[in-house]
């Protein structure tokens, strides 16, 4: 047995050999670390053979609020959920060969919001906070600054090139991130016309839900929450008819779901609003899918009703199976949108479980596509003031306590803390003693330094993980708006296509690659 085989055996069985010291026995041996490093080096040397194929398919995974500390904590949680220490675990995104950093500021904000950042990574143009699909010449909430300042997204570039396109999110489908794919709106909160000031409606500005169905009327797959923005005001929700807060909000009387259904009824179109109907579909018989599973945002993964609501992974699975039927390929935007919401509420457990689920969806997407004709990018729009520390021991629960008490107030503290947010609590003039509360609860709000009703975003750079054709172009430290330009370049869509022509004037072909070789190489990629 050679050294590489020995290390592989150690990796497979070593996690079972834990000592009281809290780490695997083989880690005491320097040879373990040296062999691991050499194996990593050998893999790195293969990256000199750049994948310059044309990307038939493009997948953009967006973890809303998934800053680098969130990625690290998610990695540990994933491992601990599998009975491991966690630190040595690999997320699916960790396996991507190229990693860059994205500068997330908005044109008018040092610490950005999800609308201005979505405009950057979807439309390739930096924008003001609170605005989607419009340039920085637009002013938030000022309707008359919309016209003439619209910018289009990579989803539209892909659709114009003949590809199928899709949007999957755990927020409402007219939330900030997905709306940048199709809308041009100076206020991210104009979900329906019932959420708009009357003067904006009178001036001709359109709400985001309406734009979803009108701007690019043939989006192939749309899945997420957001039902109430699609129905006339006071229309009871089909799932929660007795709860008025879930009633329709539209004041123009339009039923956008019904309009969409009528439009696609003869084009293999399907509307679903629960998991059972979604999973009963045969993707081979569906060309257009609208899935709206909640009145507003979808439930947190930890609270999801597994009988009625699909997971992000299940939605991604169906989406890709529908989209990949197009011989011209597809573009798919997938948002793990509630990572952000968990952090805003100071509920780290909710946020991290959302991120673990997104990583499962990334794994599923990899199994359904080929590394050789699919470019996959995983990134975040911005970070949060979330951190974990406190000299915790190896294998310490990511939600657990630091091993010491504060040397100032002599009270325990959790490893996870926030710079600001709703977790700031004072009892009798001093910091709350968390030994009296259930800090492992799903909705526990981690302590914060500054009291705020909602925790804020962070301003630091976020990671960009990439694999597939032209993934090497996402390198170094880049402006966020660079991302869709690289993806468009890889797929030969959008404005920069000169490199896509061979001497004969036709696009390069991948037909010379053996299907069996492609399968073997893809499987090797997944396993390694």
């Amino acid at each position: 047995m050679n050294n590489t085989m020995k290390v592989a055996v150690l990796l497979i069985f070593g996690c079972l050999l834990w000592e009281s010291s809290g780490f695997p026995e083989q880690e005491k041996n320097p040879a373990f670390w040296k062999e691991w490093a050499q194996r990593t080096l050998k893999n790195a040397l293969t990256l000199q053979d750049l994948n310059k194929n044309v990307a038939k398919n493009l997948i953009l995974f967006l973890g809303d609020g998934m800053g680098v500390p969130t990625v690290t904590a998610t990695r540990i949680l994933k491992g601990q959920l599998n009975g491991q220490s966690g630190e040595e675990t690999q997320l699916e995104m960790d396996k991507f060969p190229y990693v860059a950093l994205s500068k997330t500021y908005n044109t008018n904000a040092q610490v950005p919001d999800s609308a201005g950042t979505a405009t950057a990574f979807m439309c390739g143009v930096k924008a003001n906070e609170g605005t989607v699909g419009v340039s920085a010449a637009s002013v938030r909430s000022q309707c008359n600054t919309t016209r003439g300042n619209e910018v289009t997204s990579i989803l539209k570039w892909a659709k114009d090139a003949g590809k199928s396109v899709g949007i999957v999110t755990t927020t409402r489908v007219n939330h900030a991130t997905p709306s940048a794919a199709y809308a041009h709106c100076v206020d991210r909160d104009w979900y329906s016309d019932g959420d708009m000031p009357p003067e904006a409606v009178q001036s001709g500005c359109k709400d985001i839900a309406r734009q979803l169905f009108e701007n690019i009327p043939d989006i192939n797959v749309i899945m997420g929450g957001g039902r109430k923005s699609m129905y006339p005001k006071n229309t009871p929700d089909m799932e929660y008819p007795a709860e008025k807060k879930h009633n329709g909000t539209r004041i123009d009387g339009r039923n956008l779901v019904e309009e969409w259904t009528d439009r696609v009824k003869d084009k293999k179109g399907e509307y679903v609003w629960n998991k059972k109907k979604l999973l009963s579909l045969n993707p081979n018989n569906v060309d257009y899918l609208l899935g709206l599973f909640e009145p507003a945002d979808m439930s947190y993964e930890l609270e999801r009703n597994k009988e009625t609501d699909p997971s992000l992974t299940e939605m991604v699975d169906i989406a890709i199976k529908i989209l990949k039927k197009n011989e011209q390929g597809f573009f798919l935007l997938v948002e793990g949108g509630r990572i952000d919401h968990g952090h805003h509420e100071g509920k780290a457990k909710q946020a991290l479980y959302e991120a673990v689920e997104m990583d499962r969806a990334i794994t599923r997407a990899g199994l359904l596509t080929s590394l050789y004709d699919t470019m996959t990018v995983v990134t975040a729009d911005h970070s949060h003031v979330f951190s974990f520390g406190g000299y915790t021991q190896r294998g310490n629960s990511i939600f657990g306590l630091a091993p010491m008490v504060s040397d100032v107030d002599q009270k325990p503290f959790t490893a996870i803390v926030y710079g600001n947010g709703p977790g700031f609590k004072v009892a009798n003039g001093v910091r709350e003693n968390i030994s009296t509360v259930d800090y492992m609860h799903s909705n526990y709000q981690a302590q914060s330094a500054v009291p705020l009703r909602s925790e804020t975003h962070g301003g630091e750079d976020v990671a960009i993980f990439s694999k597939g054709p032209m993934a090497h172009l996402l390198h170094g430290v880049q402006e966020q708006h660079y991302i869709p330009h690289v993806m468009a370049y890889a797929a030969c869509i959008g404005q920069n296509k000169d490199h896509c022509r061979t001497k004969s004037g036709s696009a390069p072909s991948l037909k010379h690659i053996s299907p069996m070789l492609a399968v073997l190489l893809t499987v090797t990629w997944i396993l390694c």
Side-chain angles (χ1 to χ4, degrees):
M1 183 182 292
N2 60 33
N3 288 336
T4 302
M5 288 291 290
K6 290 177 182 177
V7 172
V9 171
L10 285 172
L11 285 172
I12 293 171
F13 296 106
C15 62
L16 303 175
L17 304 174
W18 292 83
E19 285 196 336
S20 58
S21 56
F23 60 91
E25 177 70 19
Q26 73 267 22
E27 292 188 9
K28 294 180 179 179
N29 186 346
F32 169 82
W33 299 105
K34 292 178 181 178
E35 289 290 349
W36 192 344
Q38 288 301 314
R39 189 160 44 87
T40 304
L41 177 60
K42 185 176 180 180
N43 288 337
L45 289 170
T46 67
L47 299 182
Q48 294 177 107
D49 298 323
L50 301 177
N51 182 346
K52 294 185 178 180
N53 297 335
V54 173
K56 177 181 176 182
N57 309 313
L58 298 170
I59 306 176
L60 175 57
F61 279 93
L62 193 286
D64 198 311
M66 190 181 70
V68 172
T70 299
V71 172
T72 307
T74 300
R75 179 187 304 128
I76 294 172
L77 174 60
K78 178 184 177 181
Q80 292 180 349
L81 290 173
N82 291 326
Q84 301 167 343
S85 166
E87 298 83 3
E88 71 291 338
T89 300
Q90 270 196 312
L91 293 169
E92 191 64 25
M93 66 187 90
D94 292 341
K95 301 175 187 177
F96 286 25
Y98 301 101
V99 181
L101 290 177
S102 170
K103 297 162 66 177
T104 64
Y105 67 92
N106 294 152
T107 46
N108 66 341
Q110 186 179 76
V111 178
D113 93 311
S114 294
T117 51
T119 304
F121 63 73
M122 287 301 294
C123 304
V125 174
K126 287 253 184 181
N128 292 328
E129 61 87 27
T131 66
V132 290
V134 289
S135 72
S138 296
V139 180
R140 183 170 188 174
S141 302
Q142 291 188 19
C143 174
N144 63 358
T145 65
T146 307
R147 185 166 298 176
N149 295 321
E150 300 92 343
V151 291
T152 58
S153 76
I154 187 171
L155 182 141
K156 188 174 191 308
W157 310 340
K159 192 66 180 179
D160 290 345
K163 295 184 184 296
S164 293
V165 295
I167 297 169
V168 174
T169 180
T170 52
T171 65
R172 60 196 83 187
V173 295
N174 48 346
H175 208 258
T177 297
S179 65
Y182 57 81
H184 312 289
C185 192
V186 293
D187 197 314
R188 58 174 288 179
D189 295 328
W190 291 355
Y191 298 120
S192 80
D193 60 344
D195 300 308
M196 296 173 64
E199 57 271 19
V201 176
Q202 293 161 9
S203 298
C205 278
K206 298 179 181 179
D207 62 272
I208 296 171
R210 179 180 169 188
Q211 292 190 55
L212 171 61
F213 299 106
E214 293 183 358
N215 290 1
I216 309 175
D218 49 358
I219 296 175
N220 300 82
V221 174
I222 304 166
M223 281 192 276
R227 281 196 301 258
K228 67 179 183 179
S229 297
M230 315 301 171
Y231 290 95
K233 190 175 179 65
N234 296 324
T235 302
D237 184 75
M238 63 274 294
E239 189 173 6
Y240 312 102
E243 299 183 43
K244 291 186 177 181
K245 67 178 181 179
H246 295 317
N247 287 357
T249 62
R250 302 199 64 79
I251 57 177
D252 59 7
R254 292 176 64 177
N255 182 328
L256 298 180
V257 171
E258 189 175 84
E259 291 179 19
W260 181 89
T261 303
D262 288 343
R263 193 166 69 233
V264 301
K265 63 183 177 182
D266 297 324
K267 300 196 297 184
K268 295 185 179 180
E270 294 283 350
Y271 169 65
V272 296
W273 58 271
N274 59 51
K275 177 178 176 177
K276 183 178 179 180
K277 289 193 69 176
L278 175 67
L279 298 188
S280 70
L281 296 175
N282 181 346
N284 292 324
N285 298 328
V286 179
D287 290 337
Y288 294 92
L289 173 62
L290 174 62
L292 300 175
F293 303 105
E294 287 292 331
D297 301 318
M298 294 183 69
S299 300
Y300 283 122
E301 178 62 21
L302 274 174
E303 299 172 354
R304 178 171 63 88
N305 183 327
K306 293 178 174 56
E307 298 298 317
T308 59
D309 292 337
S311 67
L312 183 61
T313 301
E314 289 166 336
M315 291 192 289
V316 166
D317 179 86
I318 297 292
I320 292 177
K321 288 176 179 175
I322 292 173
L323 297 173
K324 70 188 297 187
K325 294 183 299 179
N326 187 340
E327 292 183 357
Q328 300 298 313
F330 66 83
F331 170 84
L332 175 62
L333 168 66
V334 181
E335 183 196 20
R338 303 219 65 195
I339 301 169
D340 176 73
H341 295 172
H343 281 322
H344 277 308
E345 295 177 3
K347 298 174 181 177
K349 195 165 190 176
Q350 298 284 12
L352 297 185
Y353 271 79
E354 291 294 305
V356 168
E357 174 58 26
M358 192 179 87
D359 200 64
R360 290 192 195 102
I362 296 168
T363 301
R364 185 61 186 152
L367 292 170
L368 291 171
T369 56
S370 166
L371 185 64
Y372 288 87
D373 68 359
T374 303
M375 183 187 200
T376 305
V377 176
V378 180
T379 189
D381 46 359
H382 54 74
S383 186
H384 277 266
V385 291
F386 161 87
S387 66
F388 68 99
Y391 303 115
T392 46
Q393 298 296 308
R394 177 80 176 271
N396 192 73
S397 168
I398 192 62
F399 306 114
L401 295 174
M404 79 288 270
V405 297
S406 165
D407 57 4
V408 175
D409 65 10
Q410 285 72 53
K411 293 177 182 176
F413 59 98
T414 53
I416 288 175
V417 293
Y418 287 93
N420 57 49
F424 179 93
K425 292 182 177 65
V426 172
N428 299 319
V430 295
R431 182 171 70 93
E432 181 183 46
N433 188 338
I434 60 171
S435 63
T436 64
V437 300
D438 181 8
Y439 51 81
M440 299 296 286
H441 192 276
S442 296
N443 289 314
Y444 170 70
Q445 293 177 309
Q447 291 186 328
S448 69
V450 178
L452 288 176
R453 289 187 178 89
S454 177
E455 177 264 3
T456 73
H457 296 169
E460 74 269 23
D461 298 347
V462 298
I464 311 170
F465 305 87
S466 59
K467 69 174 181 178
M470 297 294 179
H472 57 279
L473 298 179
L474 286 166
H475 69 286
V477 180
Q478 303 292 349
E479 295 286 353
Q480 192 168 45
H481 76 282
Y482 174 64
I483 295 171
H485 292 284
V486 171
M487 298 185 77
Y489 182 88
C492 290
I493 61 176
Q495 68 184 67
N496 187 351
K497 294 181 284 192
D498 291 343
H499 63 292
C500 301
R501 299 293 169 186
T502 63
K503 291 181 181 179
S504 63
S506 61
S509 171
L510 303 180
K511 292 181 180 178
H512 65 281
I513 296 177
S514 159
M516 181 59 70
L517 176 60
V519 170
L520 287 173
L521 289 170
T522 301
V523 170
T524 301
W525 169 263
I526 293 166
L527 293 176
C528 295

